[in-house]
Amino acid sequence: MSALVNIIKLFCDVTTIGLCGFMKIPQIHTIIKAKSTRGLSLASLLLELTSYTIMLSYNIYSAYPLINYFEYPLMVLQDVVMLAVFLSFNGMLSPSVILPAAAASYFAYAISSGMLPHALITTLVGLTTPISASSKVVALLTILRSKNSSTVSIPSWLISTYTCVTRIFTIYLESADFALLMNFGTSFALNCLIVTAAIAYKPKKKKE
């Protein structure tokens, strides 16, 4: 790669990781401020967390450079916090969530450590695209059905859209991994639709 391409790639890596470090913070703040999860979907959040966890585990398993996927542990952590906030506001946060959380953690460890057969791991990675797409489709439908995006953070979705573009570029240069490229390409398209819907259904502020 030329020096210019390396500089652009480094810029994409740094900005992606930096932005993903607080990507969900605006969304979490919006929920807490509104004291409501209207316009948000638990199913969407769980599907997104599943997709992020599998992708993080796969990158570790594949021994890709950390800078290529360091945003994933950051996003998984933020999604866990967001899930806790969501469950709390809906009266669903209880000790009963510990068992599925432990099972999910062990499953992620089994992928990243190579305990599972390679064929199964690649199959799971292939499933992340429909899983991720499903999470976004559910999020989009939730906005369209409620016709209200008051608790949907547009900045969070814009950051997600930008990072999809940067990761398509860096992955193409680094490994051209088709599964990863397909995942980010699909996510980019759906993110654009969600941002559009969120803007269209954002409640207008009443004039004083």
Side-chain angles (χ1 to χ4, degrees):
M1 290 186 289
S2 68
L4 178 59
V5 172
N6 281 325
I7 292 173
I8 296 174
K9 181 179 180 300
L10 179 61
F11 174 81
C12 289
D13 285 330
V14 173
T15 55
T16 297
I17 294 171
L19 288 171
C20 285
F22 64 88
M23 183 173 73
K24 294 293 183 178
I25 302 302
Q27 181 64 81
I28 295 170
H29 177 264
T30 300
I31 295 174
I32 294 175
K33 183 179 179 180
K35 296 182 179 179
S36 169
T37 59
R38 184 180 181 184
L40 300 175
S41 166
L42 176 59
S44 173
L45 180 56
L46 290 173
L47 287 168
E48 180 181 77
L49 180 57
T50 300
S51 175
Y52 285 163
T53 301
I54 293 175
M55 294 302 288
L56 170 61
S57 303
Y58 173 69
N59 276 279
I60 295 174
Y61 167 75
S62 300
Y64 288 141
L66 182 60
I67 196 171
N68 283 6
Y69 66 90
F70 189 64
E71 68 270 19
Y72 277 113
L74 300 177
M75 292 189 295
V76 167
L77 177 60
Q78 290 173 86
D79 259 3
V80 169
V81 173
M82 187 171 160
L83 177 60
V85 171
F86 187 103
L87 294 176
S88 178
F89 274 107
N90 287 278
M92 301 166 65
L93 188 62
S94 67
S96 62
V97 304
I98 295 177
L99 183 59
S105 299
Y106 181 77
F107 180 65
Y109 172 75
I111 296 175
S112 59
S113 64
M115 290 174 58
L116 299 179
H118 177 74
L120 177 57
I121 293 176
T122 54
T123 299
L124 289 171
V125 173
L127 290 174
T128 58
T129 296
I131 291 174
S132 177
S134 297
S135 75
K136 297 179 190 302
V137 169
V138 171
L140 178 61
L141 290 176
T142 301
I143 296 173
L144 296 177
R145 286 169 180 167
S146 66
K147 296 183 179 180
N148 188 308
S149 62
S150 59
T151 59
V152 177
S153 173
I154 294 175
S156 290
W157 284 106
L158 286 173
I159 290 173
S160 180
T161 303
Y162 169 79
T163 57
C164 284
V165 175
T166 57
R167 277 311 178 213
I168 289 172
F169 176 72
T170 59
I171 290 170
Y172 179 76
L173 291 178
E174 189 71 35
S175 63
D177 191 308
F178 180 76
L180 298 181
L181 291 173
M182 178 65 71
N183 183 283
F184 282 108
T186 304
S187 293
F188 169 74
L190 290 172
N191 282 349
C192 290
L193 291 176
I194 291 173
V195 169
T196 301
I199 293 174
Y201 288 111
K202 182 67 74 173
K204 302 295 187 296
K205 292 184 179 180
K206 295 181 179 180
K207 294 181 179 179
E208 297 292 339

